[in-house]
Amino acid sequence: MTSHLDDASKDAASITADDEHAYDTAWQGDVRAGVRQVRDLDSLPLSPAERAAAQAAATRHKVRIPKAYLDLIDWSDPADPIRLQVIPSPEELAEQEGELDDPIADHAFNPVPRLTHRHADRVLLFATYQCAVYCRFCFRKESLTSIGRGFSREALEPAFAYIEAHPEIREVILTGGDPLSLPDKALAEIRARIEAVAHVRLLRIHTRVPVALPSRVTSGLVRSLQGRLMVTVVTHFNHAREITPATEEACRALRQGGFVLLNQSVLLKGVNDTVEVLEELCRELMYRLGVKPYYLHHGDLARGMAHRRTTIAEGRALVSALRARLSGICNPVYVLDLPDGGGKVPLGPCHVEAQDGDTWRIRGQDGELRTYTELVGDP
Protein backbone atom coordinates (compact mmCIF):
# COMPACT_ATOMS: atom_id res chain seq x y z
CA MET A 1 0.00 0.00 0.00
CA THR A 2 1.33 3.48 -0.85
CA SER A 3 2.35 5.50 2.20
CA HIS A 4 -0.11 8.20 3.21
CA LEU A 5 2.72 10.76 3.21
CA ASP A 6 4.51 9.75 0.01
CA ASP A 7 4.06 13.00 -1.93
CA ALA A 8 6.81 12.06 -4.37
CA SER A 9 4.96 9.03 -5.68
CA LYS A 10 1.39 10.30 -5.54
CA ASP A 11 0.51 13.86 -6.39
CA ALA A 12 -1.87 15.46 -3.88
CA ALA A 13 -4.29 16.43 -6.60
CA SER A 14 -4.85 12.78 -7.50
CA ILE A 15 -5.82 11.67 -3.99
CA THR A 16 -9.49 10.79 -3.83
CA ALA A 17 -11.75 11.21 -0.81
CA ASP A 18 -11.67 7.43 -0.28
CA ASP A 19 -7.87 7.42 -0.38
CA GLU A 20 -7.68 10.22 2.13
CA HIS A 21 -10.13 8.55 4.48
CA ALA A 22 -8.05 5.38 4.39
CA TYR A 23 -4.87 7.30 5.14
CA ASP A 24 -6.46 9.28 7.96
CA THR A 25 -7.86 6.22 9.74
CA ALA A 26 -5.13 3.60 9.18
CA TRP A 27 -3.42 4.66 12.40
CA GLN A 28 -6.43 3.49 14.42
CA GLY A 29 -5.60 -0.10 13.50
CA ASP A 30 -2.12 0.45 14.91
CA VAL A 31 -3.68 1.48 18.21
CA ARG A 32 -6.12 -1.46 18.28
CA ALA A 33 -3.34 -3.97 17.54
CA GLY A 34 -1.21 -2.75 20.44
CA VAL A 35 -1.59 -2.81 24.22
CA ARG A 36 -4.63 -0.84 25.39
CA GLN A 37 -5.40 -2.30 28.80
CA VAL A 38 -3.93 -4.52 31.48
CA ARG A 39 -5.13 -7.81 30.00
CA ASP A 40 -3.38 -7.04 26.70
CA LEU A 41 -0.07 -7.57 28.50
CA ASP A 42 -0.84 -11.31 28.28
CA SER A 43 0.06 -11.18 24.58
CA LEU A 44 3.62 -9.95 25.20
CA PRO A 45 6.66 -12.27 25.37
CA LEU A 46 7.15 -11.85 29.11
CA SER A 47 7.93 -14.50 31.69
CA PRO A 48 5.09 -15.30 34.14
CA ALA A 49 6.87 -13.32 36.86
CA GLU A 50 7.47 -10.33 34.57
CA ARG A 51 3.87 -10.41 33.38
CA ALA A 52 2.48 -10.46 36.92
CA ALA A 53 4.73 -7.57 37.94
CA ALA A 54 3.81 -5.57 34.82
CA GLN A 55 0.10 -6.13 35.41
CA ALA A 56 0.40 -4.91 39.00
CA ALA A 57 2.08 -1.67 37.88
CA ALA A 58 -0.34 -1.22 34.97
CA THR A 59 -3.27 -1.50 37.38
CA ARG A 60 -1.83 1.47 39.31
CA HIS A 61 -1.02 3.60 36.23
CA LYS A 62 -2.57 3.38 32.75
CA VAL A 63 -0.94 1.32 30.03
CA ARG A 64 -1.18 1.90 26.28
CA ILE A 65 1.39 1.07 23.62
CA PRO A 66 0.67 1.22 19.85
CA LYS A 67 1.86 -1.78 17.84
CA ALA A 68 4.38 0.31 15.88
CA TYR A 69 6.17 1.19 19.10
CA LEU A 70 5.91 -2.34 20.49
CA ASP A 71 7.56 -3.61 17.32
CA LEU A 72 10.69 -1.60 18.13
CA ILE A 73 11.36 -3.62 21.30
CA ASP A 74 14.10 -6.25 21.32
CA TRP A 75 12.43 -8.73 23.66
CA SER A 76 15.66 -10.66 24.13
CA ASP A 77 17.15 -7.64 25.91
CA PRO A 78 15.70 -6.87 29.37
CA ALA A 79 17.45 -3.48 29.21
CA ASP A 80 16.05 -2.54 25.81
CA PRO A 81 15.56 1.28 25.91
CA ILE A 82 12.14 1.14 24.25
CA ARG A 83 10.94 -1.57 26.62
CA LEU A 84 12.07 0.39 29.67
CA GLN A 85 10.00 3.40 28.63
CA VAL A 86 6.62 1.70 28.20
CA ILE A 87 6.47 -1.76 29.77
CA PRO A 88 5.18 -1.44 33.37
CA SER A 89 7.71 -2.28 36.07
CA PRO A 90 7.28 -3.23 39.74
CA GLU A 91 9.80 -0.49 40.59
CA GLU A 92 7.07 2.05 39.79
CA LEU A 93 5.26 0.93 42.94
CA ALA A 94 8.27 1.75 45.17
CA GLU A 95 7.52 5.37 46.00
CA GLN A 96 9.95 7.55 47.93
CA GLU A 97 9.26 10.30 50.46
CA GLY A 98 9.30 13.63 48.64
CA GLU A 99 7.90 12.32 45.36
CA LEU A 100 4.81 14.20 44.25
CA ASP A 101 1.45 13.69 42.53
CA ASP A 102 1.92 17.05 40.78
CA PRO A 103 5.70 17.42 40.38
CA ILE A 104 5.72 20.81 38.62
CA ALA A 105 2.69 22.34 40.38
CA ASP A 106 0.33 22.41 37.42
CA HIS A 107 -2.70 22.47 39.71
CA ALA A 108 -1.44 25.43 41.74
CA PHE A 109 -1.66 27.61 38.64
CA ASN A 110 -5.10 26.55 37.35
CA PRO A 111 -7.29 29.69 37.25
CA VAL A 112 -9.93 27.66 35.38
CA PRO A 113 -10.25 23.94 34.58
CA ARG A 114 -7.96 22.52 31.86
CA LEU A 115 -5.64 25.54 31.83
CA THR A 116 -2.36 26.34 33.59
CA HIS A 117 -1.07 29.92 33.59
CA ARG A 118 2.38 29.82 35.17
CA HIS A 119 4.23 32.24 32.87
CA ALA A 120 2.92 35.64 31.83
CA ASP A 121 2.86 35.27 28.04
CA ARG A 122 1.81 31.63 27.63
CA VAL A 123 -0.61 29.05 28.96
CA LEU A 124 -0.97 25.29 28.92
CA LEU A 125 -4.28 24.08 27.51
CA PHE A 126 -5.19 20.48 28.41
CA ALA A 127 -7.14 19.50 25.33
CA THR A 128 -7.36 15.89 26.50
CA TYR A 129 -6.12 13.78 29.39
CA GLN A 130 -5.63 10.74 27.15
CA CYS A 131 -2.49 9.62 25.30
CA ALA A 132 -1.57 7.48 22.32
CA VAL A 133 1.13 5.93 24.52
CA TYR A 134 1.53 6.05 28.31
CA CYS A 135 5.18 6.50 29.24
CA ARG A 136 6.09 4.92 32.56
CA PHE A 137 8.16 7.96 33.62
CA CYS A 138 5.43 10.55 32.87
CA PHE A 139 5.34 13.44 35.36
CA ARG A 140 1.57 13.76 34.86
CA LYS A 141 0.75 10.07 35.24
CA GLU A 142 -1.26 10.65 38.42
CA SER A 143 -3.53 13.13 36.61
CA LEU A 144 -3.78 11.02 33.47
CA THR A 145 -4.86 8.01 35.51
CA SER A 146 -7.24 9.78 37.87
CA ILE A 147 -8.82 12.29 35.47
CA GLY A 148 -8.72 10.35 32.22
CA ARG A 149 -11.09 12.59 30.27
CA GLY A 150 -10.88 13.21 26.56
CA PHE A 151 -11.91 16.17 24.43
CA SER A 152 -15.06 18.13 25.27
CA ARG A 153 -16.08 21.49 23.77
CA GLU A 154 -17.98 22.41 26.92
CA ALA A 155 -15.07 21.53 29.20
CA LEU A 156 -12.71 23.79 27.23
CA GLU A 157 -14.97 26.87 27.07
CA PRO A 158 -13.81 28.37 30.42
CA ALA A 159 -10.21 28.03 29.22
CA PHE A 160 -10.97 29.75 25.90
CA ALA A 161 -12.78 32.55 27.73
CA TYR A 162 -9.77 33.00 30.02
CA ILE A 163 -7.40 33.24 27.04
CA GLU A 164 -9.67 35.85 25.42
CA ALA A 165 -9.73 37.91 28.62
CA HIS A 166 -5.92 38.00 29.04
CA PRO A 167 -4.20 40.02 26.27
CA GLU A 168 -0.75 39.24 27.68
CA ILE A 169 -1.11 35.66 26.41
CA ARG A 170 0.80 35.28 23.16
CA GLU A 171 1.28 31.52 23.09
CA VAL A 172 -1.06 28.59 23.75
CA ILE A 173 0.54 25.21 24.41
CA LEU A 174 -1.66 22.20 23.70
CA THR A 175 -0.76 19.42 26.08
CA GLY A 176 -2.47 16.82 28.20
CA GLY A 177 -2.58 13.91 27.53
CA ASP A 178 -1.47 14.05 23.94
CA PRO A 179 -3.39 16.52 21.78
CA LEU A 180 -2.51 14.68 18.55
CA SER A 181 -4.40 11.64 19.81
CA LEU A 182 -7.58 13.64 19.12
CA PRO A 183 -9.53 13.38 15.84
CA ASP A 184 -8.72 15.86 13.08
CA LYS A 185 -12.10 17.58 13.50
CA ALA A 186 -11.48 18.25 17.20
CA LEU A 187 -7.99 19.58 16.48
CA ALA A 188 -9.33 21.89 13.77
CA GLU A 189 -12.00 23.20 16.14
CA ILE A 190 -9.45 23.89 18.88
CA ARG A 191 -7.05 25.56 16.47
CA ALA A 192 -9.80 27.75 14.98
CA ARG A 193 -11.04 28.76 18.43
CA ILE A 194 -7.55 29.78 19.54
CA GLU A 195 -6.62 31.62 16.35
CA ALA A 196 -9.81 33.68 16.64
CA VAL A 197 -8.19 35.35 19.67
CA ALA A 198 -6.30 38.24 18.08
CA HIS A 199 -3.56 38.58 20.70
CA VAL A 200 -2.47 34.91 20.43
CA ARG A 201 0.46 34.57 18.03
CA LEU A 202 1.71 31.00 18.33
CA LEU A 203 0.23 27.55 18.85
CA ARG A 204 2.59 25.01 20.39
CA ILE A 205 1.78 21.29 20.49
CA HIS A 206 3.54 18.87 22.84
CA THR A 207 3.20 15.34 21.52
CA ARG A 208 4.67 11.84 21.55
CA VAL A 209 2.60 10.82 18.51
CA PRO A 210 5.37 11.24 15.86
CA VAL A 211 7.50 8.90 18.00
CA ALA A 212 5.11 6.17 19.10
CA LEU A 213 2.30 6.44 16.54
CA PRO A 214 3.79 8.04 13.40
CA SER A 215 0.96 6.73 11.20
CA ARG A 216 -1.29 9.27 12.97
CA VAL A 217 0.54 12.12 11.19
CA THR A 218 -1.69 12.30 8.14
CA SER A 219 -2.49 14.94 5.57
CA GLY A 220 -5.76 15.55 7.43
CA LEU A 221 -3.97 16.10 10.72
CA VAL A 222 -1.56 18.56 9.12
CA ARG A 223 -4.41 20.54 7.55
CA SER A 224 -6.30 20.64 10.84
CA LEU A 225 -3.44 22.61 12.42
CA GLN A 226 -2.82 25.06 9.58
CA GLY A 227 -4.18 28.57 9.86
CA ARG A 228 -3.24 32.06 10.95
CA LEU A 229 -1.02 31.00 13.83
CA MET A 230 2.62 30.06 13.73
CA VAL A 231 2.68 26.40 14.81
CA THR A 232 5.49 24.68 16.70
CA VAL A 233 5.36 20.92 17.25
CA VAL A 234 7.48 19.73 20.16
CA THR A 235 8.19 16.01 19.85
CA HIS A 236 9.50 13.67 22.54
CA PHE A 237 12.24 11.34 21.30
CA ASN A 238 14.41 9.87 24.05
CA HIS A 239 16.61 7.43 22.12
CA ALA A 240 17.90 7.13 18.55
CA ARG A 241 16.25 3.68 18.34
CA GLU A 242 12.94 5.55 18.17
CA ILE A 243 13.98 7.20 14.90
CA THR A 244 12.69 5.02 12.06
CA PRO A 245 11.62 5.47 8.43
CA ALA A 246 8.06 5.99 9.69
CA THR A 247 9.02 8.70 12.17
CA GLU A 248 11.19 10.32 9.50
CA GLU A 249 8.19 10.41 7.19
CA ALA A 250 5.95 11.85 9.89
CA CYS A 251 8.40 14.63 10.72
CA ARG A 252 8.86 15.42 7.04
CA ALA A 253 5.10 15.85 6.67
CA LEU A 254 5.01 18.22 9.65
CA ARG A 255 7.92 20.26 8.26
CA GLN A 256 6.29 20.43 4.84
CA GLY A 257 3.12 21.59 6.57
CA GLY A 258 5.05 24.70 7.63
CA PHE A 259 5.55 23.81 11.28
CA VAL A 260 8.65 24.42 13.40
CA LEU A 261 9.87 21.15 14.97
CA LEU A 262 11.60 20.94 18.34
CA ASN A 263 12.30 18.00 20.65
CA GLN A 264 12.37 17.63 24.39
CA SER A 265 13.88 14.51 25.92
CA VAL A 266 13.93 13.26 29.49
CA LEU A 267 17.23 12.09 30.95
CA LEU A 268 16.46 8.52 32.01
CA LYS A 269 18.78 6.19 33.88
CA GLY A 270 19.35 3.04 31.85
CA VAL A 271 17.74 4.52 28.73
CA ASN A 272 19.81 7.49 27.54
CA ASP A 273 22.23 8.40 30.34
CA THR A 274 25.46 8.01 28.35
CA VAL A 275 27.12 10.62 26.19
CA GLU A 276 27.24 8.20 23.24
CA VAL A 277 23.48 7.61 23.31
CA LEU A 278 22.64 11.30 23.69
CA GLU A 279 25.10 12.29 20.98
CA GLU A 280 23.55 9.90 18.48
CA LEU A 281 20.03 10.99 19.44
CA CYS A 282 20.77 14.71 19.05
CA ARG A 283 22.61 14.29 15.76
CA GLU A 284 19.88 12.13 14.21
CA LEU A 285 17.13 14.46 15.40
CA MET A 286 18.70 17.42 13.64
CA TYR A 287 20.38 15.80 10.66
CA ARG A 288 17.81 13.14 9.79
CA LEU A 289 14.49 14.49 11.07
CA GLY A 290 15.06 18.24 10.94
CA VAL A 291 14.04 18.47 14.60
CA LYS A 292 15.99 20.86 16.84
CA PRO A 293 17.01 19.33 20.21
CA TYR A 294 15.35 21.83 22.55
CA TYR A 295 15.31 20.60 26.15
CA LEU A 296 16.88 17.71 28.01
CA HIS A 297 14.78 17.45 31.16
CA HIS A 298 16.14 16.28 34.47
CA GLY A 299 13.72 13.64 35.77
CA ASP A 300 10.83 15.17 37.70
CA LEU A 301 9.81 13.97 41.16
CA ALA A 302 6.99 11.80 39.81
CA ARG A 303 5.99 8.96 42.13
CA GLY A 304 7.82 5.67 41.68
CA MET A 305 10.42 7.06 39.32
CA ALA A 306 13.55 7.09 41.50
CA HIS A 307 14.93 4.14 39.53
CA ARG A 308 14.92 6.26 36.34
CA ARG A 309 16.31 9.52 37.75
CA THR A 310 20.00 10.39 37.47
CA THR A 311 21.75 12.85 39.76
CA ILE A 312 22.06 16.45 38.61
CA ALA A 313 25.85 16.09 38.72
CA GLU A 314 25.63 13.18 36.29
CA GLY A 315 23.42 15.22 33.97
CA ARG A 316 25.74 18.23 34.07
CA ALA A 317 28.71 16.04 33.18
CA LEU A 318 26.79 14.56 30.24
CA VAL A 319 25.77 17.91 28.74
CA SER A 320 29.28 19.29 29.24
CA ALA A 321 30.64 16.35 27.22
CA LEU A 322 27.91 16.81 24.61
CA ARG A 323 28.83 20.45 24.11
CA ALA A 324 32.36 19.42 23.21
CA ARG A 325 31.09 16.88 20.66
CA LEU A 326 28.11 18.57 18.97
CA SER A 327 27.46 21.79 17.11
CA GLY A 328 25.33 24.38 18.89
CA ILE A 329 22.29 23.58 16.77
CA CYS A 330 22.39 19.96 17.99
CA ASN A 331 22.76 20.76 21.71
CA PRO A 332 19.70 20.72 23.97
CA VAL A 333 19.44 22.84 27.13
CA TYR A 334 19.58 20.72 30.30
CA VAL A 335 16.77 21.95 32.56
CA LEU A 336 15.08 21.25 35.87
CA ASP A 337 11.37 22.05 36.18
CA LEU A 338 11.19 23.26 39.77
CA PRO A 339 8.62 21.39 41.90
CA ASP A 340 6.98 24.52 43.35
CA GLY A 341 6.08 25.99 39.97
CA GLY A 342 9.24 28.06 39.62
CA GLY A 343 9.55 26.97 36.01
CA LYS A 344 12.38 25.46 33.99
CA VAL A 345 15.88 26.54 34.99
CA PRO A 346 19.07 25.65 33.08
CA LEU A 347 21.40 23.26 34.87
CA GLY A 348 24.21 23.21 32.34
CA PRO A 349 27.79 23.97 33.41
CA CYS A 350 28.85 27.61 33.77
CA HIS A 351 32.17 28.52 32.16
CA VAL A 352 32.66 31.70 34.20
CA GLU A 353 35.18 31.07 36.99
CA ALA A 354 35.71 34.58 38.41
CA GLN A 355 35.27 38.33 37.81
CA ASP A 356 37.34 41.33 38.85
CA GLY A 357 35.84 44.56 37.52
CA ASP A 358 35.79 44.32 33.77
CA THR A 359 38.09 41.29 33.70
CA TRP A 360 36.65 37.80 33.64
CA ARG A 361 38.23 34.38 34.06
CA ILE A 362 36.46 31.97 31.70
CA ARG A 363 37.15 28.30 31.05
CA GLY A 364 37.01 27.35 27.36
CA GLN A 365 35.53 24.18 25.95
CA ASP A 366 39.05 22.78 25.81
CA GLY A 367 39.30 23.09 29.60
CA GLU A 368 41.85 25.92 29.54
CA LEU A 369 41.28 28.96 31.78
CA ARG A 370 41.48 32.28 29.93
CA THR A 371 41.24 35.98 30.77
CA TYR A 372 38.67 38.10 28.94
CA THR A 373 38.53 41.90 29.40
CA GLU A 374 35.34 43.75 28.50
CA LEU A 375 35.69 46.75 26.23
CA VAL A 376 32.61 48.98 26.18
CA GLY A 377 31.89 52.57 25.35
CA ASP A 378 31.17 55.32 27.85
CA PRO A 379 27.71 55.23 29.49
Side-chain angles (χ1 to χ4, degrees):
M1 178 179 176
T2 303
S3 167
H4 61 277
L5 297 173
D6 191 356
D7 295 330
S9 62
K10 189 168 188 177
D11 186 86
S14 70
I15 298 176
T16 67
D18 287 343
D19 287 332
E20 206 158 85
H21 177 74
Y23 299 149
D24 283 359
T25 57
W27 60 273
Q28 297 174 14
D30 194 356
V31 173
R32 286 192 294 269
V35 171
R36 293 189 290 168
Q37 47 199 331
V38 175
R39 68 170 177 264
D40 293 336
L41 294 169
D42 289 339
S43 65
L44 302 183
L46 301 170
S47 70
E50 289 173 326
R51 184 173 296 108
Q55 289 172 335
T59 300
R60 176 70 174 82
H61 297 292
K62 283 183 177 179
V63 62
R64 178 174 295 167
I65 317 165
K67 187 177 186 302
Y69 200 73
L70 274 176
D71 288 346
L72 299 181
I73 296 174
D74 176 1
W75 293 103
S76 68
D77 181 7
D80 178 86
I82 311 300
R83 176 177 181 158
L84 295 181
Q85 292 183 65
V86 292
I87 300 300
S89 161
E91 294 168 301
E92 297 172 36
L93 304 178
E95 299 180 4
Q96 290 198 4
E97 184 177 355
E99 292 182 328
L100 304 168
D101 288 343
D102 184 15
I104 65 169
D106 278 334
H107 302 321
F109 294 87
N110 285 146
V112 296
R114 292 194 178 230
L115 183 139
T116 292
H117 193 178
R118 183 182 292 108
H119 305 291
D121 67 342
R122 57 200 182 275
V123 295
L124 299 175
L125 179 63
F126 296 86
T128 177
Y129 288 99
Q130 298 176 353
C131 288
V133 60
Y134 289 106
C135 304
R136 308 319 298 174
F137 54 86
C138 180
F139 69 96
R140 290 198 179 109
K141 63 182 183 179
E142 300 288 340
S143 294
L144 301 185
T145 294
S146 61
I147 300 174
R149 293 190 293 269
F151 169 71
S152 161
R153 296 176 186 84
E154 295 75 17
L156 289 177
E157 275 306 317
F160 291 138
Y162 181 90
I163 294 167
E164 289 172 340
H166 288 262
E168 72 274 20
I169 296 172
R170 295 289 184 268
E171 183 173 338
V172 175
I173 302 166
L174 291 189
T175 186
D178 193 319
L180 296 192
S181 66
L182 294 174
D184 295 345
K185 183 178 179 182
L187 288 170
E189 289 180 9
I190 293 169
R191 185 263 309 156
R193 190 73 171 78
I194 293 169
E195 73 179 11
V197 182
H199 53 260
V200 175
R201 303 286 300 280
L202 186 142
L203 178 65
R204 196 197 316 175
I205 297 157
H206 287 189
T207 178
R208 191 95 152 107
V209 156
V211 184
L213 187 61
S215 58
R216 173 68 188 99
V217 182
T218 63
S219 55
L221 182 144
V222 170
R223 283 198 306 274
S224 72
L225 299 174
Q226 292 173 320
R228 172 182 69 83
L229 298 171
M230 178 66 71
V231 175
T232 297
V233 177
V234 183
T235 63
H236 184 171
F237 290 86
N238 288 322
H239 196 282
R241 282 268 310 284
E242 296 170 325
I243 299 175
T244 67
T247 61
E248 187 175 5
E249 195 176 11
C251 289
R252 183 183 304 113
L254 293 168
R255 292 200 321 270
Q256 291 175 346
F259 308 147
V260 176
L261 301 188
L262 306 174
N263 185 75
Q264 51 185 357
S265 302
V266 179
L267 183 57
L268 297 167
K269 185 186 295 185
V271 173
N272 59 10
D273 59 333
T274 70
V275 68
E276 292 80 11
V277 168
L278 288 175
E279 180 182 8
E280 183 183 12
L281 170 64
C282 293
R283 284 192 196 280
E284 292 304 295
L285 282 169
M286 193 69 245
Y287 296 165
R288 183 173 172 185
L289 301 187
V291 177
K292 168 72 177 82
Y294 171 45
Y295 281 146
L296 175 65
H297 286 266
H298 186 74
D300 293 307
L301 296 177
R303 293 192 182 278
M305 283 295 103
H307 64 292
R308 289 283 166 253
R309 284 192 291 271
T310 68
T311 66
I312 290 175
E314 289 169 334
R316 284 168 60 89
L318 283 170
V319 296
S320 180
L322 272 185
R323 190 147 192 86
R325 294 179 179 223
L326 295 171
S327 69
I329 199 170
C330 293
N331 267 284
V333 179
Y334 180 41
V335 294
L336 171 67
D337 217 330
L338 292 169
D340 62 356
K344 298 178 184 67
V345 293
L347 295 177
C350 180
H351 291 258
V352 175
E353 298 282 343
Q355 177 196 6
D356 181 11
D358 59 2
T359 299
W360 297 75
R361 297 284 283 168
I362 300 174
R363 194 170 299 279
Q365 289 190 27
D366 58 4
E368 295 295 321
L369 196 60
R370 294 174 170 82
T371 297
Y372 175 83
T373 301
E374 293 180 296
L375 300 174
V376 297
D378 293 333

